[in-house]
Amino acid sequence: MSDRWQEMAVFVRVAESGSLSRAARELKLSQPSVSRIIGTLEARLGTTLLLRTTRSVSLTEAGALYLDRARYLLAEMEEAEQAARGTDSLHGVIRLAMPVLYGTRAVIPALAPFLARHPDLRVEMIMSDARQNLITDGVDVAIRLGVGPLDDSTFGARQLALVERLVVAAPAYLSAHGAPANPAELARHDCIVQHGLFGRESWRFTHNQTVTSVNVPAKLWINSAPGILAAAVAGMGIALVTRVMAGEELRTGLLTQLLEPYRLDPAEVYAIFPAGPRPSAKVRAIVDHLGATLDANR
C-alpha cells in the first residue's frame, strides 16, 4: 500500500476506535508508528484532523470531513481490486459480530461452506449478547435479532431471515407447576426474561386473528441467550426463545413447547453495516450467502 493509502487507512481506524493504542494493536503497528503516520498526514494536509488527550482522540471539523471521504475512497479501492481479481478471489479480513447462541447454532455452521470456497478470506468473530459499539469495535457487519424497528437507522441493514419464537419449559417445571392453558395464565407462573434482545415483560400473542399482550412476572432476568436456555432446561421457569436457539432441546425432550395455538411475532434477523448501506464486495458476498442459508434453515 502506498504511503497515502496507508495514512488514510490508519487515520480511519484511529478515528473509528477513538484510540491510537487500540488502532495500533488492530493494525499490528507500534503506537509511535501510528502517531507518526497521523502526524505526517496532518503535516501534508496542513490541518489538524485529531485532537489527542492522554486517554482518547476526537475528530476536528476537518477530521470529520476527511473521515467521510477516506472511508469512501478506501471502499472504492477495495472494490476496484476485488473486481480485478474476480468474485472467486475474495481475500482479507471481515470482522463479524453476532449474538452468542444464534451465532453458534446458525451462523457458524452456515459459514463453513462459504469459507471453504474462499480460502484467502479470514473472519474475525465477535460473539456477545451485549450491544457493541460497532464503529469503535471496527465491525464490518453485525448479525442481530430483534422484533420491531432497528435501533440505529443511520446504519445500512438487510433482513436475512425470520425466526420462529415460542414459549418453552422443562418437564420438571411443568410437573411441579402445570402448564398454562392460555397466555393469561402466565401471570401465575415463574418466567425467565432476557435483557436486550427480547427483554420485555410483555409477551404478545396472536390467536384466531386476536392479539393478546401479557405482562409476565419475571422470576429471572438474564443477559444472555445461553443463560436463558440453561435456566429453562434446569426447570427454573417458562422462557421465550427462538426455535433455532432451543431446537435441539425440544427434539430431545429437555424442553416442551407451550401454548402452541398462540403465535408470537417472529424474530427478524438482520445484517447491519456500520459504515453505511454500501458494504465492500467481500461483505456483500458473505451476507448474500448467509441470507440464502439462514432463511432456508429457519
Side-chain angles (χ1 to χ4, degrees):
M1 182 182 291
S2 71
D3 289 345
R4 287 195 175 190
W5 287 113
Q6 183 189 42
E7 289 171 358
M8 195 177 295
V10 170
F11 167 78
V12 168
R13 194 64 214 110
V14 171
E16 290 180 340
S17 66
S19 167
L20 291 168
S21 59
R22 181 169 184 171
R25 287 194 302 272
E26 293 178 1
L27 296 169
K28 296 180 173 55
L29 297 170
S30 69
Q31 185 171 334
S33 294
V34 169
S35 183
R36 184 177 63 255
I37 289 168
I38 297 298
T40 301
L41 173 62
E42 291 177 324
R44 183 168 58 78
L45 296 177
T47 189
T48 300
L49 301 175
L50 296 171
L51 299 175
R52 304 157 178 80
T53 70
T54 56
R55 293 177 179 264
S56 65
V57 297
S58 59
L59 289 166
T60 63
E61 183 178 355
L65 293 172
Y66 186 76
L67 177 62
D68 285 342
R69 297 299 298 168
R71 282 174 171 160
Y72 173 79
L73 290 172
L74 289 169
E76 286 293 302
M77 181 179 68
E78 182 175 348
E79 192 81 9
E81 291 179 348
Q82 188 57 57
R85 294 188 186 97
T87 56
D88 294 333
S89 303
L90 295 176
H91 81 294
V93 179
I94 297 175
R95 288 175 64 85
L96 174 63
M98 67 187 87
V100 177
L101 198 53
Y102 187 77
T104 301
R105 296 199 170 182
V107 178
I108 290 176
L111 283 179
F114 177 82
L115 293 179
R117 290 198 304 271
H118 301 288
D120 295 328
L121 192 63
R122 184 161 59 92
V123 177
E124 294 182 2
M125 297 184 185
I126 306 166
M127 303 184 71
S128 173
D129 286 336
R131 290 296 174 93
Q132 306 104 316
N133 186 317
L134 302 181
I135 297 294
T136 59
D137 285 347
V139 172
D140 295 303
V141 57
I143 307 301
R144 284 187 170 169
L145 282 76
V147 178
L150 296 171
D151 290 344
D152 195 331
S153 60
T154 64
F155 292 166
R158 172 181 162 184
Q159 188 180 99
L160 301 180
L162 296 175
V163 179
E164 183 184 3
R165 295 192 304 156
L166 47 126
V167 175
V168 299
Y173 177 86
L174 298 175
S175 294
H177 302 276
N182 55 64
E185 291 189 7
L186 288 170
R188 64 177 180 82
H189 283 271
D190 298 333
C191 293
I192 305 166
V193 177
Q194 181 178 355
H195 287 291
L197 298 179
F198 312 121
R200 57 193 71 176
E201 289 184 271
S202 178
W203 295 354
R204 184 174 178 268
F205 297 87
T206 301
H207 178 56
N208 292 335
Q209 299 184 324
T210 299
V211 176
T212 302
S213 292
V214 179
N215 291 323
V216 298
K219 175 74 170 182
L220 289 173
W221 285 87
I222 302 178
N223 68 349
S224 77
I228 293 283
L229 190 63
V233 169
M236 300 175 73
I238 294 174
L240 191 160
V241 299
T242 68
R243 188 169 293 280
V244 173
M245 172 180 169
E248 182 63 25
E249 287 73 15
L250 288 164
R251 284 190 294 271
T252 58
L254 291 174
L255 291 174
T256 299
Q257 183 177 353
L258 308 176
L259 301 173
E260 290 194 47
Y262 299 86
R263 299 299 175 190
L264 292 138
D265 293 334
E268 299 157 316
V269 183
Y270 279 94
I272 307 295
F273 311 113
R278 193 170 179 272
S280 65
K282 62 191 175 187
V283 171
R284 290 200 306 272
I286 200 170
V287 169
D288 286 346
H289 174 80
L290 288 175
T293 309
L294 295 177
D295 195 48
N297 295 332
R298 63 183 179 177

